[in-house]
Amino acid sequence: MKLRHLMTAVLGGVVLSCQGPAAVLAQEAAASGMTAPNPHAAITGAHRVRALDTLDRRLAHYVMHERTPAIRARLAGRRAAYLELADPEAFRQAINADLLAASGDKHLQVWIEPRSRDDALAEGPPPTMEQMGAEEARNGFGVRETRVLEGAVGYLDLAYFSGHPDAGAAIDAALATLAGSRALILDLRRNGGGGEAALKRLMGHLAPEPMRLEDIVMRRCAPDPADPEGCIQDGSRDVQERYADTVAAPAFPTQPVYVLTSRDSFSAAEAVAYGLQATGRAVVVGEVTGGGANPSMTMDLGPWFTIVMPFGEARHPATGTNWEGAGVQPDVAVPANRALEEALRRLET
C-alpha cells in the first residue's frame, strides 16, 4: 500500500482515486497498531505559503477554466485564515472545503504527502516498474475477493482499479475463477477509484465486443513562457475516444450483471457503474455514488502538498454528460449493506 499513491499518479491514466497518501498510511498504521512519529511536524508556515502560491498558479491548468476566477477569489479571500492554521491537516481541509464550494468538483483537492519530496529525492530514484508491480501483486491488483455464490452467481469484489500494466491479466484470472456462472455481481461499494488498465480489461469482459467508454474532452493548455507552473488555455479542445480492451473470450458477454454501489464508490468505480448503466448492460443496486467524474492528474505544491488537478471532462456518448457532482443514481436504491441481498433476490425471480 505504501507505493499506492505513486503508482496511481504514474500508472493511473485517466481516472484517479482521491484517497490521499497520508490517509492511506494512517489507515495502515492504525490497522497494524503502530505508533509512528508525525513527519508533518516539519511542515512550516513557509511551506504553507508556498503551497498557496503554487496552487494559485497551478489553477491555470484546471479544465473548468470559466470557474477559475471564482476559485482564485475565494482562496485569496480566505488566505489569512488558512495561514493561521498551524495543523497541516486542518490547513488542507479548509482549502478543500473552499475548493469544493467554489468549483463543485470533487476531484479538485489538496493532499499532504506522507513525507517531504526533498527527503524522498535524497534517498534515491523512485520505485521501478518491477517494484511497483510487486507491490500491486501483493494487493491482488485490486481484486479483494472472487467466489461463486449459491445459484451459480459469480461475485467479484474490487478494492480499487489498478493502473499497472499487469492488472489486465489479474482481472482475466479473477474472472476465470467464475467461469460458468449464470450472472455476475460486481461489488464496488468499497472502491475509491484507480487507474485505466484494470477498468478497461474488466469492461472488455462484459460485452461481446469492446464497448465505447466515456470520451475525455480536454482543453488545450500551452506552456506559459512567464510561469513554468501555469499554462495558457486558448479555448480549443481535443476529444479522446476510449474503448474497453478487446478480449478474445469475454467472461460475461451477455449474462446479467449487477453492480453494487455506495456513497464511497468514487471516480473509476463510478465510471464502470455509469457506463454499464448508460448502455443498459447492468443494473446498479445500492446508494448514490460520490460524484467524481473528471479525469485528473497530481501536481506538486512544494515538498509537502499536492493538488489533484482535473484536466478533462468525462462525457459518455450514450448520455452526452457524466456523473460529476450528482453521482451515479442506482436503478434500485437500497442501503449499501443490503445491496448484495437485493441483487441476489432479483436474480432469483
Side-chain angles (χ1 to χ4, degrees), residues 68-255:
T68 302
I71 298 170
R72 282 176 163 154
R74 190 177 185 105
L75 296 180
R78 295 268 294 150
R79 181 184 177 94
Y82 300 145
L83 294 176
E84 289 178 359
L85 299 171
D87 176 47
E89 180 61 18
F91 173 77
R92 180 188 78 88
Q93 289 185 11
I95 294 172
N96 285 344
D98 286 325
L99 286 173
L100 180 59
S103 70
D105 193 323
K106 293 187 177 181
H107 269 117
L108 183 66
Q109 57 179 273
V110 172
W111 287 349
I112 308 175
E113 295 302 311
R115 59 177 179 164
S116 169
R117 288 186 174 87
D118 295 339
D119 293 341
L121 289 172
E123 292 177 9
T128 64
M129 186 68 73
E130 290 73 20
Q131 289 173 313
M132 290 190 286
E135 179 71 11
E136 282 286 275
R138 284 191 287 272
N139 290 308
F141 292 93
V143 177
R144 183 183 282 124
E145 182 183 6
T146 62
R147 56 190 165 110
V148 178
L149 305 175
E150 186 177 353
V153 175
Y155 173 81
L156 174 62
D157 184 356
L158 294 178
Y160 64 95
F161 286 92
S162 173
H164 193 277
D166 293 340
I171 294 294
D172 294 340
L175 291 173
T177 68
L178 305 178
S181 299
R182 68 179 180 90
L184 174 68
I185 293 178
L186 176 61
D187 195 342
L188 303 179
R189 289 176 293 179
R190 295 177 292 161
N191 187 311
E196 278 206 304
L199 183 154
K200 285 186 170 183
R201 185 60 57 88
L202 173 66
M203 296 294 270
H205 277 284
L206 302 183
E209 301 292 335
M211 68 178 73
R212 185 171 167 186
L213 309 178
E214 67 273 9
D215 297 337
I216 304 302
V217 181
M218 295 175 287
R219 297 196 180 199
R220 293 179 184 172
C221 203
D224 185 347
D227 185 0
E229 308 286 358
C231 70
I232 301 173
Q233 295 192 26
D234 62 8
S236 59
R237 303 185 179 197
D238 294 312
V239 178
Q240 176 189 355
E241 292 186 2
R242 298 167 58 250
Y243 292 84
D245 284 353
T246 299
V247 177
F252 291 89
T254 59
Q255 298 95 317

